[in-house]
PDB file of all heavy atoms in Angstrom:
ATOM      1  N   GLY A1239     -57.515  84.155 116.212  1.00  0.00           N
ATOM      2  CA  GLY A1239     -58.094  83.649 114.986  1.00  0.00           C
ATOM      3  C   GLY A1239     -59.468  83.040 115.128  1.00  0.00           C
ATOM      4  O   GLY A1239     -60.066  82.654 114.112  1.00  0.00           O
ATOM      5  N   SER A1240     -59.968  82.943 116.334  1.00  0.00           N
ATOM      6  CA  SER A1240     -61.299  82.393 116.544  1.00  0.00           C
ATOM      7  C   SER A1240     -62.353  83.289 115.905  1.00  0.00           C
ATOM      8  O   SER A1240     -62.233  84.518 115.929  1.00  0.00           O
ATOM      9  CB  SER A1240     -61.584  82.235 118.033  1.00  0.00           C
ATOM     10  OG  SER A1240     -60.671  81.347 118.640  1.00  0.00           O
ATOM     11  N   THR A1241     -63.373  82.672 115.374  1.00  0.00           N
ATOM     12  CA  THR A1241     -64.436  83.407 114.702  1.00  0.00           C
ATOM     13  C   THR A1241     -65.794  83.006 115.248  1.00  0.00           C
ATOM     14  O   THR A1241     -65.966  81.924 115.807  1.00  0.00           O
ATOM     15  CB  THR A1241     -64.424  83.155 113.188  1.00  0.00           C
ATOM     16  OG1 THR A1241     -64.603  81.753 112.939  1.00  0.00           O
ATOM     17  CG2 THR A1241     -63.104  83.595 112.571  1.00  0.00           C
ATOM     18  N   ASN A1242     -66.747  83.891 115.076  1.00  0.00           N
ATOM     19  CA  ASN A1242     -68.132  83.545 115.320  1.00  0.00           C
ATOM     20  C   ASN A1242     -69.007  84.305 114.338  1.00  0.00           C
ATOM     21  O   ASN A1242     -68.633  85.369 113.843  1.00  0.00           O
ATOM     22  CB  ASN A1242     -68.551  83.789 116.777  1.00  0.00           C
ATOM     23  CG  ASN A1242     -68.347  85.214 117.227  1.00  0.00           C
ATOM     24  OD1 ASN A1242     -69.124  86.109 116.880  1.00  0.00           O
ATOM     25  ND2 ASN A1242     -67.296  85.432 118.016  1.00  0.00           N
ATOM     26  N   TYR A1243     -70.171  83.730 114.064  1.00  0.00           N
ATOM     27  CA  TYR A1243     -71.064  84.256 113.049  1.00  0.00           C
ATOM     28  C   TYR A1243     -72.493  84.262 113.548  1.00  0.00           C
ATOM     29  O   TYR A1243     -72.887  83.430 114.368  1.00  0.00           O
ATOM     30  CB  TYR A1243     -71.011  83.401 111.780  1.00  0.00           C
ATOM     31  CG  TYR A1243     -69.669  83.351 111.111  1.00  0.00           C
ATOM     32  CD1 TYR A1243     -68.738  82.376 111.453  1.00  0.00           C
ATOM     33  CD2 TYR A1243     -69.336  84.265 110.126  1.00  0.00           C
ATOM     34  CE1 TYR A1243     -67.501  82.328 110.837  1.00  0.00           C
ATOM     35  CE2 TYR A1243     -68.100  84.219 109.505  1.00  0.00           C
ATOM     36  CZ  TYR A1243     -67.190  83.254 109.861  1.00  0.00           C
ATOM     37  OH  TYR A1243     -65.956  83.207 109.237  1.00  0.00           O
ATOM     38  N   ALA A1244     -73.257  85.189 113.019  1.00  0.00           N
ATOM     39  CA  ALA A1244     -74.692  85.139 113.231  1.00  0.00           C
ATOM     40  C   ALA A1244     -75.251  83.887 112.564  1.00  0.00           C
ATOM     41  O   ALA A1244     -74.774  83.462 111.510  1.00  0.00           O
ATOM     42  CB  ALA A1244     -75.361  86.378 112.658  1.00  0.00           C
ATOM     43  N   ASP A1245     -76.264  83.294 113.180  1.00  0.00           N
ATOM     44  CA  ASP A1245     -76.852  82.082 112.623  1.00  0.00           C
ATOM     45  C   ASP A1245     -77.340  82.286 111.193  1.00  0.00           C
ATOM     46  O   ASP A1245     -77.274  81.370 110.371  1.00  0.00           O
ATOM     47  CB  ASP A1245     -78.012  81.607 113.491  1.00  0.00           C
ATOM     48  CG  ASP A1245     -77.556  81.024 114.816  1.00  0.00           C
ATOM     49  OD1 ASP A1245     -76.378  80.651 114.936  1.00  0.00           O
ATOM     50  OD2 ASP A1245     -78.395  80.937 115.733  1.00  0.00           O
ATOM     51  N   SER A1246     -77.796  83.482 110.888  1.00  0.00           N
ATOM     52  CA  SER A1246     -78.363  83.756 109.582  1.00  0.00           C
ATOM     53  C   SER A1246     -77.337  83.731 108.450  1.00  0.00           C
ATOM     54  O   SER A1246     -77.722  83.634 107.283  1.00  0.00           O
ATOM     55  CB  SER A1246     -79.077  85.107 109.589  1.00  0.00           C
ATOM     56  OG  SER A1246     -78.176  86.150 109.926  1.00  0.00           O
ATOM     57  N   VAL A1247     -76.051  83.819 108.782  1.00  0.00           N
ATOM     58  CA  VAL A1247     -75.022  83.865 107.741  1.00  0.00           C
ATOM     59  C   VAL A1247     -74.060  82.691 107.796  1.00  0.00           C
ATOM     60  O   VAL A1247     -73.188  82.577 106.916  1.00  0.00           O
ATOM     61  CB  VAL A1247     -74.223  85.181 107.789  1.00  0.00           C
ATOM     62  CG1 VAL A1247     -75.160  86.377 107.765  1.00  0.00           C
ATOM     63  CG2 VAL A1247     -73.310  85.231 109.008  1.00  0.00           C
ATOM     64  N   LYS A1248     -74.192  81.820 108.774  1.00  0.00           N
ATOM     65  CA  LYS A1248     -73.288  80.681 108.889  1.00  0.00           C
ATOM     66  C   LYS A1248     -73.335  79.823 107.634  1.00  0.00           C
ATOM     67  O   LYS A1248     -74.400  79.511 107.119  1.00  0.00           O
ATOM     68  CB  LYS A1248     -73.644  79.828 110.112  1.00  0.00           C
ATOM     69  CG  LYS A1248     -73.254  80.453 111.429  1.00  0.00           C
ATOM     70  CD  LYS A1248     -73.618  79.546 112.595  1.00  0.00           C
ATOM     71  CE  LYS A1248     -73.208  80.169 113.919  1.00  0.00           C
ATOM     72  NZ  LYS A1248     -73.604  79.321 115.066  1.00  0.00           N
ATOM     73  N   GLY A1249     -72.158  79.457 107.173  1.00  0.00           N
ATOM     74  CA  GLY A1249     -72.053  78.658 105.967  1.00  0.00           C
ATOM     75  C   GLY A1249     -72.036  79.464 104.690  1.00  0.00           C
ATOM     76  O   GLY A1249     -71.744  78.917 103.621  1.00  0.00           O
ATOM     77  N   ARG A1250     -72.348  80.745 104.776  1.00  0.00           N
ATOM     78  CA  ARG A1250     -72.369  81.602 103.595  1.00  0.00           C
ATOM     79  C   ARG A1250     -71.314  82.705 103.647  1.00  0.00           C
ATOM     80  O   ARG A1250     -70.783  83.088 102.609  1.00  0.00           O
ATOM     81  CB  ARG A1250     -73.745  82.241 103.420  1.00  0.00           C
ATOM     82  CG  ARG A1250     -74.869  81.239 103.229  1.00  0.00           C
ATOM     83  CD  ARG A1250     -76.180  81.926 102.866  1.00  0.00           C
ATOM     84  NE  ARG A1250     -76.647  82.821 103.921  1.00  0.00           N
ATOM     85  CZ  ARG A1250     -76.835  84.130 103.770  1.00  0.00           C
ATOM     86  NH1 ARG A1250     -76.611  84.705 102.589  1.00  0.00           N
ATOM     87  NH2 ARG A1250     -77.270  84.863 104.780  1.00  0.00           N
ATOM     88  N   PHE A1251     -71.052  83.228 104.839  1.00  0.00           N
ATOM     89  CA  PHE A1251     -70.105  84.333 105.005  1.00  0.00           C
ATOM     90  C   PHE A1251     -68.840  83.829 105.694  1.00  0.00           C
ATOM     91  O   PHE A1251     -68.895  82.934 106.545  1.00  0.00           O
ATOM     92  CB  PHE A1251     -70.704  85.445 105.868  1.00  0.00           C
ATOM     93  CG  PHE A1251     -71.821  86.229 105.229  1.00  0.00           C
ATOM     94  CD1 PHE A1251     -72.417  85.825 104.046  1.00  0.00           C
ATOM     95  CD2 PHE A1251     -72.276  87.385 105.843  1.00  0.00           C
ATOM     96  CE1 PHE A1251     -73.452  86.549 103.477  1.00  0.00           C
ATOM     97  CE2 PHE A1251     -73.305  88.120 105.282  1.00  0.00           C
ATOM     98  CZ  PHE A1251     -73.895  87.707 104.098  1.00  0.00           C
ATOM     99  N   THR A1252     -67.724  84.451 105.358  1.00  0.00           N
ATOM    100  CA  THR A1252     -66.455  84.127 105.985  1.00  0.00           C
ATOM    101  C   THR A1252     -65.704  85.410 106.312  1.00  0.00           C
ATOM    102  O   THR A1252     -65.493  86.247 105.432  1.00  0.00           O
ATOM    103  CB  THR A1252     -65.575  83.250 105.081  1.00  0.00           C
ATOM    104  OG1 THR A1252     -66.266  82.045 104.748  1.00  0.00           O
ATOM    105  CG2 THR A1252     -64.271  82.890 105.798  1.00  0.00           C
ATOM    106  N   ILE A1253     -65.306  85.558 107.569  1.00  0.00           N
ATOM    107  CA  ILE A1253     -64.495  86.694 107.971  1.00  0.00           C
ATOM    108  C   ILE A1253     -63.032  86.266 108.002  1.00  0.00           C
ATOM    109  O   ILE A1253     -62.702  85.166 108.429  1.00  0.00           O
ATOM    110  CB  ILE A1253     -64.940  87.259 109.334  1.00  0.00           C
ATOM    111  CG1 ILE A1253     -64.199  88.556 109.663  1.00  0.00           C
ATOM    112  CG2 ILE A1253     -64.779  86.233 110.447  1.00  0.00           C
ATOM    113  CD1 ILE A1253     -64.752  89.284 110.884  1.00  0.00           C
ATOM    114  N   SER A1254     -62.163  87.135 107.547  1.00  0.00           N
ATOM    115  CA  SER A1254     -60.733  86.863 107.560  1.00  0.00           C
ATOM    116  C   SER A1254     -59.986  88.179 107.737  1.00  0.00           C
ATOM    117  O   SER A1254     -60.575  89.256 107.649  1.00  0.00           O
ATOM    118  CB  SER A1254     -60.284  86.149 106.282  1.00  0.00           C
ATOM    119  OG  SER A1254     -60.531  86.945 105.139  1.00  0.00           O
ATOM    120  N   ARG A1255     -58.701  88.080 107.982  1.00  0.00           N
ATOM    121  CA  ARG A1255     -57.917  89.283 108.224  1.00  0.00           C
ATOM    122  C   ARG A1255     -56.526  89.148 107.625  1.00  0.00           C
ATOM    123  O   ARG A1255     -56.028  88.044 107.387  1.00  0.00           O
ATOM    124  CB  ARG A1255     -57.796  89.537 109.729  1.00  0.00           C
ATOM    125  CG  ARG A1255     -56.958  88.475 110.434  1.00  0.00           C
ATOM    126  CD  ARG A1255     -56.993  88.559 111.916  1.00  0.00           C
ATOM    127  NE  ARG A1255     -56.181  87.497 112.494  1.00  0.00           N
ATOM    128  CZ  ARG A1255     -56.239  87.082 113.737  1.00  0.00           C
ATOM    129  NH1 ARG A1255     -57.100  87.662 114.569  1.00  0.00           N
ATOM    130  NH2 ARG A1255     -55.460  86.115 114.163  1.00  0.00           N
ATOM    131  N   ASP A1256     -55.913  90.287 107.385  1.00  0.00           N
ATOM    132  CA  ASP A1256     -54.521  90.372 106.984  1.00  0.00           C
ATOM    133  C   ASP A1256     -53.866  91.314 107.985  1.00  0.00           C
ATOM    134  O   ASP A1256     -53.978  92.536 107.869  1.00  0.00           O
ATOM    135  CB  ASP A1256     -54.390  90.894 105.560  1.00  0.00           C
ATOM    136  CG  ASP A1256     -52.962  90.874 105.052  1.00  0.00           C
ATOM    137  OD1 ASP A1256     -52.023  90.936 105.865  1.00  0.00           O
ATOM    138  OD2 ASP A1256     -52.775  90.798 103.822  1.00  0.00           O
ATOM    139  N   ASN A1257     -53.199  90.742 108.972  1.00  0.00           N
ATOM    140  CA  ASN A1257     -52.646  91.550 110.048  1.00  0.00           C
ATOM    141  C   ASN A1257     -51.587  92.535 109.557  1.00  0.00           C
ATOM    142  O   ASN A1257     -51.471  93.645 110.076  1.00  0.00           O
ATOM    143  CB  ASN A1257     -52.055  90.647 111.130  1.00  0.00           C
ATOM    144  CG  ASN A1257     -53.108  89.897 111.909  1.00  0.00           C
ATOM    145  OD1 ASN A1257     -54.248  90.353 112.030  1.00  0.00           O
ATOM    146  ND2 ASN A1257     -52.737  88.750 112.454  1.00  0.00           N
ATOM    147  N   ALA A1258     -50.804  92.133 108.568  1.00  0.00           N
ATOM    148  CA  ALA A1258     -49.759  93.004 108.044  1.00  0.00           C
ATOM    149  C   ALA A1258     -50.334  94.255 107.403  1.00  0.00           C
ATOM    150  O   ALA A1258     -49.681  95.295 107.372  1.00  0.00           O
ATOM    151  CB  ALA A1258     -48.886  92.248 107.048  1.00  0.00           C
ATOM    152  N   LYS A1259     -51.546  94.149 106.881  1.00  0.00           N
ATOM    153  CA  LYS A1259     -52.189  95.276 106.222  1.00  0.00           C
ATOM    154  C   LYS A1259     -53.236  95.963 107.093  1.00  0.00           C
ATOM    155  O   LYS A1259     -53.880  96.917 106.639  1.00  0.00           O
ATOM    156  CB  LYS A1259     -52.849  94.820 104.920  1.00  0.00           C
ATOM    157  CG  LYS A1259     -51.877  94.308 103.880  1.00  0.00           C
ATOM    158  CD  LYS A1259     -52.609  93.898 102.610  1.00  0.00           C
ATOM    159  CE  LYS A1259     -51.639  93.420 101.552  1.00  0.00           C
ATOM    160  NZ  LYS A1259     -52.340  93.019 100.304  1.00  0.00           N
ATOM    161  N   ASN A1260     -53.417  95.476 108.314  1.00  0.00           N
ATOM    162  CA  ASN A1260     -54.466  96.001 109.192  1.00  0.00           C
ATOM    163  C   ASN A1260     -55.811  96.053 108.465  1.00  0.00           C
ATOM    164  O   ASN A1260     -56.521  97.066 108.481  1.00  0.00           O
ATOM    165  CB  ASN A1260     -54.090  97.384 109.731  1.00  0.00           C
ATOM    166  CG  ASN A1260     -53.041  97.327 110.817  1.00  0.00           C
ATOM    167  OD1 ASN A1260     -52.918  96.332 111.532  1.00  0.00           O
ATOM    168  ND2 ASN A1260     -52.279  98.405 110.958  1.00  0.00           N
ATOM    169  N   THR A1261     -56.138  94.947 107.848  1.00  0.00           N
ATOM    170  CA  THR A1261     -57.329  94.871 107.021  1.00  0.00           C
ATOM    171  C   THR A1261     -58.128  93.619 107.366  1.00  0.00           C
ATOM    172  O   THR A1261     -57.551  92.556 107.604  1.00  0.00           O
ATOM    173  CB  THR A1261     -56.965  94.857 105.532  1.00  0.00           C
ATOM    174  OG1 THR A1261     -56.263  96.064 105.206  1.00  0.00           O
ATOM    175  CG2 THR A1261     -58.204  94.759 104.659  1.00  0.00           C
ATOM    176  N   VAL A1262     -59.434  93.756 107.374  1.00  0.00           N
ATOM    177  CA  VAL A1262     -60.335  92.638 107.583  1.00  0.00           C
ATOM    178  C   VAL A1262     -61.246  92.520 106.368  1.00  0.00           C
ATOM    179  O   VAL A1262     -61.545  93.522 105.700  1.00  0.00           O
ATOM    180  CB  VAL A1262     -61.153  92.808 108.881  1.00  0.00           C
ATOM    181  CG1 VAL A1262     -62.144  93.963 108.765  1.00  0.00           C
ATOM    182  CG2 VAL A1262     -61.869  91.517 109.254  1.00  0.00           C
ATOM    183  N   TYR A1263     -61.681  91.294 106.082  1.00  0.00           N
ATOM    184  CA  TYR A1263     -62.512  91.026 104.923  1.00  0.00           C
ATOM    185  C   TYR A1263     -63.765  90.273 105.346  1.00  0.00           C
ATOM    186  O   TYR A1263     -63.779  89.565 106.348  1.00  0.00           O
ATOM    187  CB  TYR A1263     -61.762  90.188 103.889  1.00  0.00           C
ATOM    188  CG  TYR A1263     -60.442  90.777 103.463  1.00  0.00           C
ATOM    189  CD1 TYR A1263     -59.262  90.418 104.100  1.00  0.00           C
ATOM    190  CD2 TYR A1263     -60.373  91.700 102.427  1.00  0.00           C
ATOM    191  CE1 TYR A1263     -58.050  90.960 103.723  1.00  0.00           C
ATOM    192  CE2 TYR A1263     -59.166  92.247 102.042  1.00  0.00           C
ATOM    193  CZ  TYR A1263     -58.007  91.877 102.687  1.00  0.00           C
ATOM    194  OH  TYR A1263     -56.797  92.424 102.301  1.00  0.00           O
ATOM    195  N   LEU A1264     -64.783  90.421 104.549  1.00  0.00           N
ATOM    196  CA  LEU A1264     -65.984  89.617 104.707  1.00  0.00           C
ATOM    197  C   LEU A1264     -66.383  89.101 103.335  1.00  0.00           C
ATOM    198  O   LEU A1264     -66.838  89.871 102.486  1.00  0.00           O
ATOM    199  CB  LEU A1264     -67.132  90.421 105.318  1.00  0.00           C
ATOM    200  CG  LEU A1264     -68.399  89.623 105.625  1.00  0.00           C
ATOM    201  CD1 LEU A1264     -68.140  88.623 106.752  1.00  0.00           C
ATOM    202  CD2 LEU A1264     -69.550  90.552 105.996  1.00  0.00           C
ATOM    203  N   GLN A1265     -66.174  87.813 103.129  1.00  0.00           N
ATOM    204  CA  GLN A1265     -66.591  87.170 101.894  1.00  0.00           C
ATOM    205  C   GLN A1265     -68.028  86.715 102.053  1.00  0.00           C
ATOM    206  O   GLN A1265     -68.342  85.939 102.962  1.00  0.00           O
ATOM    207  CB  GLN A1265     -65.689  85.975 101.577  1.00  0.00           C
ATOM    208  CG  GLN A1265     -66.072  85.222 100.310  1.00  0.00           C
ATOM    209  CD  GLN A1265     -65.887  86.045  99.066  1.00  0.00           C
ATOM    210  OE1 GLN A1265     -64.853  86.679  98.880  1.00  0.00           O
ATOM    211  NE2 GLN A1265     -66.891  86.063  98.201  1.00  0.00           N
ATOM    212  N   MET A1266     -68.896  87.193 101.191  1.00  0.00           N
ATOM    213  CA  MET A1266     -70.316  86.911 101.278  1.00  0.00           C
ATOM    214  C   MET A1266     -70.742  86.147 100.037  1.00  0.00           C
ATOM    215  O   MET A1266     -70.655  86.660  98.921  1.00  0.00           O
ATOM    216  CB  MET A1266     -71.121  88.200 101.415  1.00  0.00           C
ATOM    217  CG  MET A1266     -70.690  89.075 102.586  1.00  0.00           C
ATOM    218  SD  MET A1266     -71.753  90.527 102.809  1.00  0.00           S
ATOM    219  CE  MET A1266     -71.377  91.424 101.295  1.00  0.00           C
ATOM    220  N   ASN A1267     -71.191  84.927 100.235  1.00  0.00           N
ATOM    221  CA  ASN A1267     -71.646  84.072  99.154  1.00  0.00           C
ATOM    222  C   ASN A1267     -73.123  83.746  99.323  1.00  0.00           C
ATOM    223  O   ASN A1267     -73.690  83.884 100.403  1.00  0.00           O
ATOM    224  CB  ASN A1267     -70.832  82.775  99.116  1.00  0.00           C
ATOM    225  CG  ASN A1267     -69.364  82.998  98.870  1.00  0.00           C
ATOM    226  OD1 ASN A1267     -68.967  83.907  98.141  1.00  0.00           O
ATOM    227  ND2 ASN A1267     -68.527  82.148  99.469  1.00  0.00           N
ATOM    228  N   SER A1268     -73.717  83.282  98.248  1.00  0.00           N
ATOM    229  CA  SER A1268     -75.132  82.891  98.264  1.00  0.00           C
ATOM    230  C   SER A1268     -75.999  83.969  98.890  1.00  0.00           C
ATOM    231  O   SER A1268     -76.837  83.707  99.759  1.00  0.00           O
ATOM    232  CB  SER A1268     -75.298  81.562  99.006  1.00  0.00           C
ATOM    233  OG  SER A1268     -74.541  80.535  98.405  1.00  0.00           O
ATOM    234  N   LEU A1269     -75.813  85.179  98.436  1.00  0.00           N
ATOM    235  CA  LEU A1269     -76.502  86.313  99.042  1.00  0.00           C
ATOM    236  C   LEU A1269     -78.008  86.243  98.828  1.00  0.00           C
ATOM    237  O   LEU A1269     -78.486  85.801  97.779  1.00  0.00           O
ATOM    238  CB  LEU A1269     -75.946  87.616  98.485  1.00  0.00           C
ATOM    239  CG  LEU A1269     -74.589  88.017  99.070  1.00  0.00           C
ATOM    240  CD1 LEU A1269     -73.887  89.029  98.178  1.00  0.00           C
ATOM    241  CD2 LEU A1269     -74.773  88.591 100.477  1.00  0.00           C
TER     242      LEU A1269
END
């Protein structure tokens, strides 16, 4: 569950996953 981000997107983007669905997401805010 550990995450890391590029400095340019920290605080704005969030990566998450749904293991049961084999799916990953990227929520992008303040684009």
